Amino acid sequence: MNTKKVLIGGIVGGIAYFLMGWLIYGVLLMDFMTSNSTAGVMKTQDQFIWSALVVSNLIYGLLMSYVINAVGHITSSGKGAITAATTGLLVVAGYDLGMYATSNVSTMNVVLADIAAVTVMSFIAGAIIVMVSNKIK
């Protein structure tokens, strides 16, 4: 496995996650997520811990880049997108359903919306990661 490809793909993937997260959660789903979550759970943007959010997105990017590169021989954006979408779906579904089962943080509607959002974000990030990785020697 090429460590340079994993790191550069991960950073670019993390940036893609951050930007898509802003669009999907910060614009498209903000009202839905707020109205379907337990009162007081969602922070306003001025309360965000931005450093943790940036690191979180970089970790997702690195995870997807690692998986794509570990599987090996993924050189098409389509295969990278499907691999990342599948990984994202499994990771977020496992986490969200566990939280739903053991806490009062959100509703099943939020869980389903989050699973869909992360799957879409992972699909796009996976395609981007493969495009970038293909350019690295």
Side-chain angles (χ1 to χ4, degrees):
M1 181 177 352
N2 186 327
T3 304
K4 187 176 179 180
K5 284 186 176 191
V6 171
L7 291 176
I8 293 172
I11 291 167
V12 172
I15 293 167
Y17 271 106
F18 184 85
L19 295 172
M20 287 185 289
W22 166 79
L23 176 63
I24 292 172
Y25 292 106
V27 176
L28 300 175
L29 293 177
M30 184 178 358
D31 293 338
F32 173 81
M33 295 300 239
T34 302
S35 65
N36 284 282
S37 296
T38 304
V41 168
M42 303 296 287
K43 291 182 178 184
T44 59
Q45 282 192 13
D46 62 317
Q47 297 172 319
F48 283 4
I49 302 167
W50 288 98
S51 58
L53 186 58
V54 168
V55 170
S56 170
N57 284 281
L58 287 173
I59 288 170
Y60 272 112
L62 287 167
L63 171 66
M64 294 309 162
S65 184
Y66 175 80
V67 168
I68 287 167
N69 283 281
V71 169
H73 306 300
I74 294 179
T75 56
S76 79
S77 294
K79 286 184 181 181
I82 290 168
T83 300
T86 303
T87 303
L89 182 142
L90 293 173
V91 168
V92 77
Y95 179 80
D96 281 358
L97 288 168
M99 289 298 293
Y100 177 73
T102 61
S103 71
N104 294 313
V105 172
S106 64
T107 64
M108 182 54 83
N109 288 337
V110 169
V111 169
L112 295 174
D114 193 41
I115 291 170
V118 170
T119 301
V120 168
M121 291 167 61
S122 297
F123 183 88
I124 295 167
I128 292 168
I129 289 166
V130 170
M131 284 190 291
V132 169
S133 293
N134 285 342
K135 296 188 183 300
I136 299 168
K137 303 264 186 230

